[in-house]
Amino acid sequence: MAERTLRGARLGGQSFEDERGIEFAARQQVGYKCPQGHEFEITMSDEAEVPATWECPRCGAEALNVAGHEPESKAEKPARTHWDMLLERRSESELEDILKERLELLRGGEIGPAHLHRANAKKRKAAV
């Protein structure tokens, strides 16, 4: 019975190649420390640009490089408000004139909600 057993590699794959003649890429160990005090190292290529921050594998916080690489601060543009965009198109004096004109139309019943038009129409009829 022993003569009939299969010979060969086991399941799961096992490489029979050795590491002779293989030249690995140059590597570096980069250390990081998170605000929670966790320290860890990441293996990177020597040619890679080392990031200033890395996500901590234990707590997920943003860890800083212990070599002193500071994260680049991005110049943030201030948020443009509706008023800022309006001032790009018109001056304040123009806006005041438009406001006065629109208020006169609203008070005269020419614009605005329908229930205001009906009330103003009754007042006008009563005044005549």
Short mmCIF file of all heavy atoms in Angstrom, two decimals, residues 8-79:
data_model
loop_
_atom_site.label_atom_id
_atom_site.label_comp_id
_atom_site.label_asym_id
_atom_site.label_seq_id
_atom_site.Cartn_x
_atom_site.Cartn_y
_atom_site.Cartn_z
N GLY A 8 4.99 14.30 -3.64
CA GLY A 8 5.03 15.65 -4.18
C GLY A 8 4.80 16.69 -3.10
O GLY A 8 4.85 16.41 -1.90
N ALA A 9 4.51 17.85 -3.54
CA ALA A 9 4.32 18.97 -2.60
C ALA A 9 2.94 18.90 -1.96
O ALA A 9 1.99 18.39 -2.55
CB ALA A 9 4.47 20.29 -3.35
N ARG A 10 2.86 19.43 -0.80
CA ARG A 10 1.57 19.44 -0.11
C ARG A 10 0.71 20.59 -0.63
O ARG A 10 1.20 21.52 -1.28
CB ARG A 10 1.79 19.57 1.40
CG ARG A 10 2.46 20.88 1.78
CD ARG A 10 2.57 20.98 3.30
NE ARG A 10 3.21 22.24 3.61
CZ ARG A 10 4.30 22.35 4.32
NH1 ARG A 10 4.88 21.27 4.81
NH2 ARG A 10 4.81 23.54 4.56
N LEU A 11 -0.54 20.56 -0.29
CA LEU A 11 -1.45 21.64 -0.68
C LEU A 11 -1.05 22.94 0.01
O LEU A 11 -0.54 22.93 1.12
CB LEU A 11 -2.90 21.28 -0.31
CG LEU A 11 -3.52 20.14 -1.10
CD1 LEU A 11 -4.90 19.84 -0.56
CD2 LEU A 11 -3.60 20.50 -2.56
N GLY A 12 -1.35 24.07 -0.65
CA GLY A 12 -1.00 25.36 -0.07
C GLY A 12 0.20 25.95 -0.75
O GLY A 12 0.51 27.12 -0.56
N GLY A 13 0.86 25.23 -1.52
CA GLY A 13 1.98 25.74 -2.31
C GLY A 13 3.21 26.03 -1.50
O GLY A 13 3.18 26.73 -0.50
N GLN A 14 4.28 25.45 -1.91
CA GLN A 14 5.55 25.67 -1.24
C GLN A 14 6.57 25.90 -2.35
O GLN A 14 6.70 25.07 -3.25
CB GLN A 14 5.92 24.46 -0.39
CG GLN A 14 7.19 24.62 0.38
CD GLN A 14 7.47 23.41 1.26
OE1 GLN A 14 6.72 22.44 1.24
NE2 GLN A 14 8.55 23.45 1.99
N SER A 15 7.26 27.02 -2.28
CA SER A 15 8.23 27.34 -3.31
C SER A 15 9.51 26.58 -3.05
O SER A 15 10.01 26.53 -1.92
CB SER A 15 8.51 28.84 -3.32
OG SER A 15 9.52 29.11 -4.25
N PHE A 16 10.06 25.99 -4.10
CA PHE A 16 11.33 25.27 -3.96
C PHE A 16 12.49 26.13 -4.43
O PHE A 16 13.62 25.67 -4.49
CB PHE A 16 11.27 23.96 -4.76
CG PHE A 16 10.25 23.01 -4.20
CD1 PHE A 16 9.08 22.76 -4.87
CD2 PHE A 16 10.48 22.37 -2.98
CE1 PHE A 16 8.15 21.89 -4.36
CE2 PHE A 16 9.54 21.51 -2.47
CZ PHE A 16 8.37 21.26 -3.15
N GLU A 17 12.21 27.40 -4.76
CA GLU A 17 13.27 28.30 -5.18
C GLU A 17 13.96 28.87 -3.96
O GLU A 17 13.34 29.13 -2.94
CB GLU A 17 12.71 29.45 -6.01
CG GLU A 17 12.10 29.02 -7.32
CD GLU A 17 11.58 30.21 -8.11
OE1 GLU A 17 12.04 31.33 -7.87
OE2 GLU A 17 10.70 29.98 -8.96
N ASP A 18 15.24 29.05 -4.07
CA ASP A 18 15.95 29.69 -2.96
C ASP A 18 16.23 31.14 -3.33
O ASP A 18 15.96 31.58 -4.43
CB ASP A 18 17.24 28.94 -2.62
CG ASP A 18 18.19 28.86 -3.79
OD1 ASP A 18 17.91 29.47 -4.83
OD2 ASP A 18 19.23 28.19 -3.64
N GLU A 19 16.75 31.89 -2.41
CA GLU A 19 16.94 33.33 -2.60
C GLU A 19 18.32 33.66 -3.13
O GLU A 19 18.70 34.82 -3.16
CB GLU A 19 16.67 34.06 -1.28
CG GLU A 19 15.23 33.92 -0.83
CD GLU A 19 14.96 34.63 0.47
OE1 GLU A 19 15.87 35.27 1.02
OE2 GLU A 19 13.81 34.56 0.93
N ARG A 20 19.05 32.68 -3.59
CA ARG A 20 20.37 32.95 -4.17
C ARG A 20 20.22 33.67 -5.50
O ARG A 20 19.37 33.33 -6.31
CB ARG A 20 21.14 31.65 -4.38
CG ARG A 20 21.75 31.13 -3.08
CD ARG A 20 22.54 29.90 -3.33
NE ARG A 20 21.55 28.79 -3.38
CZ ARG A 20 21.75 27.63 -3.96
NH1 ARG A 20 22.87 27.40 -4.60
NH2 ARG A 20 20.83 26.71 -3.94
N GLY A 21 21.01 34.69 -5.70
CA GLY A 21 20.99 35.42 -6.96
C GLY A 21 19.90 36.47 -7.06
O GLY A 21 19.78 37.14 -8.07
N ILE A 22 19.11 36.61 -6.02
CA ILE A 22 18.05 37.63 -6.03
C ILE A 22 18.53 38.84 -5.26
O ILE A 22 19.01 38.73 -4.14
CB ILE A 22 16.76 37.08 -5.39
CG1 ILE A 22 16.23 35.91 -6.19
CG2 ILE A 22 15.72 38.18 -5.29
CD1 ILE A 22 15.05 35.22 -5.56
N GLU A 23 18.44 40.00 -5.90
CA GLU A 23 18.85 41.23 -5.25
C GLU A 23 17.60 42.02 -4.89
O GLU A 23 16.85 42.47 -5.76
CB GLU A 23 19.73 42.05 -6.20
CG GLU A 23 20.41 43.19 -5.52
CD GLU A 23 21.42 43.86 -6.44
OE1 GLU A 23 22.13 43.16 -7.17
OE2 GLU A 23 21.44 45.10 -6.42
N PHE A 24 17.37 42.20 -3.60
CA PHE A 24 16.20 42.92 -3.13
C PHE A 24 16.40 44.42 -3.30
O PHE A 24 17.51 44.92 -3.27
CB PHE A 24 15.91 42.61 -1.67
CG PHE A 24 15.47 41.19 -1.44
CD1 PHE A 24 16.32 40.27 -0.85
CD2 PHE A 24 14.21 40.79 -1.82
CE1 PHE A 24 15.92 38.97 -0.65
CE2 PHE A 24 13.80 39.49 -1.62
CZ PHE A 24 14.66 38.57 -1.04
N ALA A 25 15.29 45.14 -3.46
CA ALA A 25 15.35 46.59 -3.57
C ALA A 25 15.79 47.18 -2.23
O ALA A 25 15.49 46.63 -1.16
CB ALA A 25 13.98 47.15 -3.95
N ALA A 26 16.48 48.30 -2.30
CA ALA A 26 16.93 48.96 -1.07
C ALA A 26 15.72 49.45 -0.29
O ALA A 26 14.79 50.01 -0.85
CB ALA A 26 17.85 50.13 -1.43
N ARG A 27 15.75 49.21 1.01
CA ARG A 27 14.62 49.57 1.86
C ARG A 27 15.06 50.41 3.03
O ARG A 27 16.23 50.44 3.38
CB ARG A 27 13.95 48.30 2.42
CG ARG A 27 13.47 47.37 1.38
CD ARG A 27 12.89 46.15 2.03
NE ARG A 27 13.00 45.01 1.14
CZ ARG A 27 12.53 43.83 1.39
NH1 ARG A 27 11.93 43.61 2.54
NH2 ARG A 27 12.65 42.86 0.53
N GLN A 28 14.08 51.05 3.64
CA GLN A 28 14.33 51.84 4.85
C GLN A 28 13.17 51.63 5.82
O GLN A 28 12.05 51.37 5.42
CB GLN A 28 14.48 53.32 4.52
CG GLN A 28 13.24 53.95 3.92
CD GLN A 28 13.42 55.42 3.63
OE1 GLN A 28 14.16 56.10 4.32
NE2 GLN A 28 12.74 55.91 2.60
N GLN A 29 13.47 51.73 7.09
CA GLN A 29 12.45 51.65 8.13
C GLN A 29 12.10 53.08 8.54
O GLN A 29 12.98 53.86 8.91
CB GLN A 29 12.95 50.88 9.34
CG GLN A 29 13.17 49.40 9.10
CD GLN A 29 11.88 48.67 8.86
OE1 GLN A 29 11.65 48.21 7.77
NE2 GLN A 29 11.04 48.57 9.85
N VAL A 30 10.82 53.43 8.47
CA VAL A 30 10.37 54.77 8.84
C VAL A 30 9.51 54.65 10.08
O VAL A 30 8.53 53.90 10.10
CB VAL A 30 9.57 55.42 7.68
CG1 VAL A 30 9.14 56.82 8.06
CG2 VAL A 30 10.40 55.43 6.41
N GLY A 31 9.89 55.37 11.13
CA GLY A 31 9.18 55.31 12.40
C GLY A 31 8.11 56.39 12.51
O GLY A 31 8.28 57.51 12.04
N TYR A 32 7.00 56.03 13.15
CA TYR A 32 5.88 56.96 13.37
C TYR A 32 5.41 56.81 14.81
O TYR A 32 5.53 55.75 15.42
CB TYR A 32 4.72 56.65 12.43
CG TYR A 32 5.02 57.00 11.00
CD1 TYR A 32 5.55 56.05 10.13
CD2 TYR A 32 4.78 58.27 10.51
CE1 TYR A 32 5.83 56.37 8.81
CE2 TYR A 32 5.05 58.60 9.20
CZ TYR A 32 5.57 57.65 8.36
OH TYR A 32 5.86 57.97 7.06
N LYS A 33 4.86 57.89 15.34
CA LYS A 33 4.30 57.88 16.70
C LYS A 33 2.99 58.65 16.68
O LYS A 33 2.94 59.78 16.22
CB LYS A 33 5.27 58.52 17.68
CG LYS A 33 4.80 58.44 19.12
CD LYS A 33 5.85 58.93 20.07
CE LYS A 33 5.38 58.76 21.50
NZ LYS A 33 6.40 59.17 22.47
N CYS A 34 1.92 58.02 17.19
CA CYS A 34 0.60 58.65 17.19
C CYS A 34 0.38 59.40 18.51
O CYS A 34 1.13 59.21 19.46
CB CYS A 34 -0.49 57.62 16.94
SG CYS A 34 -0.99 56.67 18.38
N PRO A 35 -0.65 60.24 18.59
CA PRO A 35 -0.92 61.00 19.82
C PRO A 35 -1.24 60.11 21.02
O PRO A 35 -1.09 60.53 22.16
CB PRO A 35 -2.14 61.85 19.46
CG PRO A 35 -2.21 61.89 17.98
CD PRO A 35 -1.54 60.65 17.49
N GLN A 36 -1.66 58.86 20.77
CA GLN A 36 -1.97 57.93 21.87
C GLN A 36 -0.71 57.28 22.44
O GLN A 36 -0.78 56.50 23.37
CB GLN A 36 -2.92 56.83 21.37
CG GLN A 36 -4.20 57.33 20.74
CD GLN A 36 -5.11 57.99 21.76
OE1 GLN A 36 -5.14 57.59 22.92
NE2 GLN A 36 -5.83 59.01 21.33
N GLY A 37 0.44 57.55 21.82
CA GLY A 37 1.70 57.00 22.31
C GLY A 37 2.12 55.72 21.60
O GLY A 37 3.16 55.15 21.93
N HIS A 38 1.35 55.24 20.64
CA HIS A 38 1.71 54.03 19.90
C HIS A 38 2.85 54.36 18.93
O HIS A 38 2.79 55.34 18.21
CB HIS A 38 0.52 53.48 19.10
CG HIS A 38 -0.68 53.21 19.94
ND1 HIS A 38 -1.93 53.67 19.60
CD2 HIS A 38 -0.82 52.56 21.12
CE1 HIS A 38 -2.80 53.28 20.52
NE2 HIS A 38 -2.14 52.62 21.46
N GLU A 39 3.88 53.52 18.95
CA GLU A 39 5.00 53.68 18.02
C GLU A 39 5.04 52.48 17.10
O GLU A 39 4.82 51.34 17.53
CB GLU A 39 6.32 53.81 18.78
CG GLU A 39 6.41 55.08 19.60
CD GLU A 39 7.76 55.26 20.26
OE1 GLU A 39 8.74 54.63 19.80
OE2 GLU A 39 7.84 56.01 21.24
N PHE A 40 5.31 52.72 15.83
CA PHE A 40 5.39 51.63 14.86
C PHE A 40 6.31 52.03 13.73
O PHE A 40 6.65 53.21 13.57
CB PHE A 40 3.99 51.26 14.32
CG PHE A 40 3.27 52.40 13.67
CD1 PHE A 40 3.32 52.60 12.30
CD2 PHE A 40 2.53 53.30 14.43
CE1 PHE A 40 2.66 53.65 11.71
CE2 PHE A 40 1.86 54.36 13.84
CZ PHE A 40 1.91 54.53 12.48
N GLU A 41 6.75 51.04 12.96
CA GLU A 41 7.64 51.29 11.83
C GLU A 41 7.01 50.75 10.56
O GLU A 41 6.34 49.71 10.57
CB GLU A 41 9.00 50.65 12.05
CG GLU A 41 9.82 51.34 13.11
CD GLU A 41 11.24 50.81 13.18
OE1 GLU A 41 11.49 49.67 12.73
OE2 GLU A 41 12.11 51.54 13.69
N ILE A 42 7.25 51.44 9.46
CA ILE A 42 6.78 51.03 8.16
C ILE A 42 8.00 50.83 7.27
O ILE A 42 8.90 51.68 7.26
CB ILE A 42 5.84 52.10 7.53
CG1 ILE A 42 4.67 52.40 8.45
CG2 ILE A 42 5.39 51.72 6.14
CD1 ILE A 42 3.69 51.27 8.61
N THR A 43 8.04 49.72 6.52
CA THR A 43 9.14 49.48 5.59
C THR A 43 8.79 50.10 4.26
O THR A 43 7.72 49.83 3.70
CB THR A 43 9.36 47.96 5.41
OG1 THR A 43 9.59 47.39 6.70
CG2 THR A 43 10.55 47.69 4.51
N MET A 44 9.69 50.94 3.77
CA MET A 44 9.48 51.62 2.49
C MET A 44 10.74 51.52 1.65
O MET A 44 11.83 51.31 2.15
CB MET A 44 9.16 53.10 2.73
CG MET A 44 7.90 53.35 3.46
SD MET A 44 7.60 55.11 3.56
CE MET A 44 6.15 55.11 4.57
N SER A 45 10.56 51.75 0.37
CA SER A 45 11.69 51.78 -0.55
C SER A 45 12.54 53.01 -0.24
O SER A 45 12.04 54.04 0.20
CB SER A 45 11.17 51.86 -1.98
OG SER A 45 12.23 52.16 -2.86
N ASP A 46 13.84 52.90 -0.48
CA ASP A 46 14.73 54.05 -0.29
C ASP A 46 14.37 55.18 -1.24
O ASP A 46 14.58 56.34 -0.95
CB ASP A 46 16.19 53.66 -0.52
CG ASP A 46 16.85 53.13 0.74
OD1 ASP A 46 16.28 53.36 1.83
OD2 ASP A 46 17.91 52.51 0.63
N GLU A 47 13.81 54.83 -2.39
CA GLU A 47 13.46 55.82 -3.40
C GLU A 47 12.12 56.50 -3.12
O GLU A 47 11.80 57.52 -3.71
CB GLU A 47 13.41 55.17 -4.77
CG GLU A 47 14.73 54.55 -5.18
CD GLU A 47 14.60 53.69 -6.42
OE1 GLU A 47 13.48 53.60 -6.98
OE2 GLU A 47 15.61 53.11 -6.84
N ALA A 48 11.32 55.93 -2.22
CA ALA A 48 9.99 56.46 -1.95
C ALA A 48 10.06 57.78 -1.20
O ALA A 48 10.96 58.01 -0.38
CB ALA A 48 9.17 55.46 -1.13
N GLU A 49 9.09 58.65 -1.48
CA GLU A 49 8.98 59.89 -0.74
C GLU A 49 8.29 59.57 0.59
O GLU A 49 7.17 59.07 0.61
CB GLU A 49 8.15 60.89 -1.54
CG GLU A 49 8.11 62.26 -0.94
CD GLU A 49 7.35 63.25 -1.81
OE1 GLU A 49 7.47 63.17 -3.04
OE2 GLU A 49 6.63 64.08 -1.23
N VAL A 50 8.96 59.87 1.68
CA VAL A 50 8.45 59.50 3.00
C VAL A 50 7.37 60.48 3.42
O VAL A 50 7.61 61.68 3.51
CB VAL A 50 9.60 59.49 4.03
CG1 VAL A 50 9.06 59.17 5.42
CG2 VAL A 50 10.66 58.49 3.62
N PRO A 51 6.14 59.98 3.69
CA PRO A 51 5.08 60.88 4.13
C PRO A 51 5.29 61.33 5.57
O PRO A 51 5.84 60.60 6.39
CB PRO A 51 3.81 60.04 4.00
CG PRO A 51 4.27 58.63 4.00
CD PRO A 51 5.67 58.61 3.49
N ALA A 52 4.84 62.53 5.87
CA ALA A 52 4.99 63.08 7.22
C ALA A 52 4.02 62.45 8.21
O ALA A 52 4.28 62.42 9.40
CB ALA A 52 4.80 64.59 7.19
N THR A 53 2.88 61.95 7.70
CA THR A 53 1.89 61.31 8.58
C THR A 53 1.52 59.95 8.03
O THR A 53 1.62 59.69 6.83
CB THR A 53 0.62 62.16 8.69
OG1 THR A 53 0.05 62.32 7.40
CG2 THR A 53 0.91 63.53 9.28
N TRP A 54 1.07 59.07 8.93
CA TRP A 54 0.62 57.73 8.56
C TRP A 54 -0.46 57.33 9.55
O TRP A 54 -0.40 57.69 10.72
CB TRP A 54 1.79 56.75 8.64
CG TRP A 54 1.56 55.47 7.93
CD1 TRP A 54 0.95 54.36 8.42
CD2 TRP A 54 1.93 55.16 6.59
NE1 TRP A 54 0.92 53.38 7.49
CE2 TRP A 54 1.52 53.83 6.34
CE3 TRP A 54 2.56 55.86 5.57
CZ2 TRP A 54 1.72 53.21 5.12
CZ3 TRP A 54 2.77 55.22 4.37
CH2 TRP A 54 2.35 53.93 4.14
N GLU A 55 -1.44 56.58 9.10
CA GLU A 55 -2.52 56.15 9.99
C GLU A 55 -2.00 55.07 10.94
O GLU A 55 -1.40 54.09 10.52
CB GLU A 55 -3.68 55.60 9.17
CG GLU A 55 -4.86 55.21 10.02
CD GLU A 55 -6.02 54.69 9.19
OE1 GLU A 55 -6.28 55.24 8.11
OE2 GLU A 55 -6.66 53.72 9.65
N CYS A 56 -2.24 55.27 12.22
CA CYS A 56 -1.79 54.31 13.24
C CYS A 56 -2.56 53.01 13.06
O CYS A 56 -3.79 53.00 13.01
CB CYS A 56 -2.04 54.88 14.64
SG CYS A 56 -1.61 53.74 15.97
N PRO A 57 -1.85 51.87 12.98
CA PRO A 57 -2.54 50.58 12.80
C PRO A 57 -3.32 50.12 14.03
O PRO A 57 -4.20 49.27 13.93
CB PRO A 57 -1.41 49.62 12.47
CG PRO A 57 -0.17 50.26 12.98
CD PRO A 57 -0.41 51.72 12.96
N ARG A 58 -3.03 50.69 15.21
CA ARG A 58 -3.71 50.26 16.43
C ARG A 58 -4.99 51.04 16.70
O ARG A 58 -6.03 50.46 17.02
CB ARG A 58 -2.78 50.39 17.63
CG ARG A 58 -1.58 49.46 17.54
CD ARG A 58 -0.68 49.66 18.70
NE ARG A 58 -0.89 48.59 19.66
CZ ARG A 58 -0.37 48.58 20.86
NH1 ARG A 58 0.36 49.60 21.27
NH2 ARG A 58 -0.58 47.57 21.65
N CYS A 59 -4.91 52.39 16.57
CA CYS A 59 -6.08 53.20 16.94
C CYS A 59 -6.65 54.01 15.78
O CYS A 59 -7.74 54.57 15.91
CB CYS A 59 -5.73 54.13 18.10
SG CYS A 59 -4.49 55.39 17.68
N GLY A 60 -5.95 54.08 14.66
CA GLY A 60 -6.47 54.81 13.50
C GLY A 60 -6.20 56.31 13.53
O GLY A 60 -6.59 57.02 12.62
N ALA A 61 -5.52 56.79 14.56
CA ALA A 61 -5.21 58.22 14.64
C ALA A 61 -4.10 58.56 13.65
O ALA A 61 -3.42 57.67 13.13
CB ALA A 61 -4.77 58.58 16.07
N GLU A 62 -3.91 59.83 13.40
CA GLU A 62 -2.87 60.26 12.47
C GLU A 62 -1.55 60.35 13.22
O GLU A 62 -1.37 61.18 14.10
CB GLU A 62 -3.25 61.62 11.88
CG GLU A 62 -2.39 62.00 10.71
CD GLU A 62 -2.88 63.25 10.03
OE1 GLU A 62 -2.49 64.34 10.49
OE2 GLU A 62 -3.66 63.12 9.07
N ALA A 63 -0.61 59.48 12.84
CA ALA A 63 0.70 59.44 13.50
C ALA A 63 1.70 60.30 12.74
O ALA A 63 1.66 60.38 11.52
CB ALA A 63 1.19 58.00 13.56
N LEU A 64 2.60 60.94 13.48
CA LEU A 64 3.62 61.80 12.88
C LEU A 64 4.94 61.06 12.75
O LEU A 64 5.28 60.22 13.59
CB LEU A 64 3.82 63.06 13.74
CG LEU A 64 2.66 64.03 13.81
CD1 LEU A 64 2.97 65.14 14.79
CD2 LEU A 64 2.36 64.59 12.44
N ASN A 65 5.69 61.41 11.73
CA ASN A 65 7.00 60.83 11.49
C ASN A 65 7.93 61.24 12.62
O ASN A 65 8.02 62.42 12.97
CB ASN A 65 7.51 61.36 10.14
CG ASN A 65 8.76 60.66 9.68
OD1 ASN A 65 9.58 60.24 10.48
ND2 ASN A 65 8.89 60.53 8.38
N VAL A 66 8.66 60.27 13.20
CA VAL A 66 9.55 60.58 14.32
C VAL A 66 10.84 61.22 13.85
O VAL A 66 11.58 61.79 14.65
CB VAL A 66 9.86 59.31 15.17
CG1 VAL A 66 8.62 58.82 15.87
CG2 VAL A 66 10.50 58.23 14.34
N ALA A 67 11.13 61.18 12.54
CA ALA A 67 12.35 61.81 12.01
C ALA A 67 12.21 63.32 11.94
O ALA A 67 13.18 64.01 11.63
CB ALA A 67 12.67 61.24 10.63
N GLY A 68 11.03 63.84 12.18
CA GLY A 68 10.84 65.28 12.22
C GLY A 68 10.28 65.87 10.94
O GLY A 68 10.22 67.08 10.81
N HIS A 69 9.88 65.04 10.00
CA HIS A 69 9.25 65.57 8.78
C HIS A 69 7.91 66.17 9.16
O HIS A 69 7.05 65.48 9.68
CB HIS A 69 9.02 64.47 7.74
CG HIS A 69 10.28 63.91 7.17
ND1 HIS A 69 11.23 63.29 7.93
CD2 HIS A 69 10.73 63.89 5.90
CE1 HIS A 69 12.21 62.90 7.15
NE2 HIS A 69 11.94 63.24 5.91
N GLU A 70 7.74 67.46 8.91
CA GLU A 70 6.49 68.15 9.24
C GLU A 70 5.51 68.04 8.08
O GLU A 70 5.92 68.15 6.92
CB GLU A 70 6.74 69.62 9.56
CG GLU A 70 7.52 69.84 10.84
CD GLU A 70 6.76 69.41 12.07
OE1 GLU A 70 5.54 69.64 12.12
OE2 GLU A 70 7.38 68.82 12.97
N PRO A 71 4.23 67.83 8.36
CA PRO A 71 3.24 67.81 7.27
C PRO A 71 3.14 69.18 6.62
O PRO A 71 3.22 70.20 7.30
CB PRO A 71 1.93 67.41 7.95
CG PRO A 71 2.17 67.47 9.41
CD PRO A 71 3.64 67.58 9.65
N GLU A 72 2.97 69.18 5.29
CA GLU A 72 2.85 70.44 4.56
C GLU A 72 1.49 71.06 4.86
O GLU A 72 0.47 70.39 4.78
CB GLU A 72 2.97 70.20 3.06
CG GLU A 72 4.34 69.73 2.63
CD GLU A 72 4.40 69.50 1.14
OE1 GLU A 72 3.57 70.06 0.40
OE2 GLU A 72 5.28 68.74 0.72
N SER A 73 1.51 72.32 5.22
CA SER A 73 0.24 73.00 5.47
C SER A 73 -0.29 73.53 4.15
O SER A 73 0.43 74.17 3.39
CB SER A 73 0.42 74.14 6.47
OG SER A 73 1.35 75.07 5.96
N LYS A 74 -1.54 73.24 3.90
CA LYS A 74 -2.17 73.68 2.66
C LYS A 74 -2.78 75.06 2.86
O LYS A 74 -3.41 75.32 3.88
CB LYS A 74 -3.27 72.70 2.24
CG LYS A 74 -2.74 71.32 1.93
CD LYS A 74 -3.87 70.38 1.56
CE LYS A 74 -3.35 68.99 1.29
NZ LYS A 74 -4.43 68.07 0.99
N ALA A 75 -2.58 75.91 1.89
CA ALA A 75 -3.16 77.24 1.96
C ALA A 75 -4.65 77.12 1.65
O ALA A 75 -5.04 76.76 0.54
CB ALA A 75 -2.48 78.17 0.97
N GLU A 76 -5.48 77.39 2.64
CA GLU A 76 -6.92 77.27 2.46
C GLU A 76 -7.50 78.61 2.05
O GLU A 76 -7.20 79.63 2.66
CB GLU A 76 -7.57 76.79 3.75
CG GLU A 76 -7.19 75.38 4.12
CD GLU A 76 -7.92 74.91 5.36
OE1 GLU A 76 -9.03 75.41 5.64
OE2 GLU A 76 -7.38 74.04 6.06
N LYS A 77 -8.32 78.56 1.01
CA LYS A 77 -9.00 79.78 0.60
C LYS A 77 -10.19 80.02 1.51
O LYS A 77 -10.88 79.07 1.89
CB LYS A 77 -9.49 79.65 -0.85
CG LYS A 77 -8.37 79.54 -1.87
CD LYS A 77 -8.85 79.74 -3.28
CE LYS A 77 -9.88 78.74 -3.71
NZ LYS A 77 -10.25 78.82 -5.12
N PRO A 78 -10.42 81.27 1.88
CA PRO A 78 -11.60 81.53 2.71
C PRO A 78 -12.87 81.26 1.90
O PRO A 78 -12.90 81.47 0.69
CB PRO A 78 -11.47 83.01 3.07
CG PRO A 78 -10.56 83.59 2.05
CD PRO A 78 -9.67 82.47 1.59
N ALA A 79 -13.88 80.80 2.57
CA ALA A 79 -15.15 80.48 1.90
C ALA A 79 -15.79 81.76 1.38
O ALA A 79 -15.85 82.77 2.09
CB ALA A 79 -16.09 79.79 2.87
#
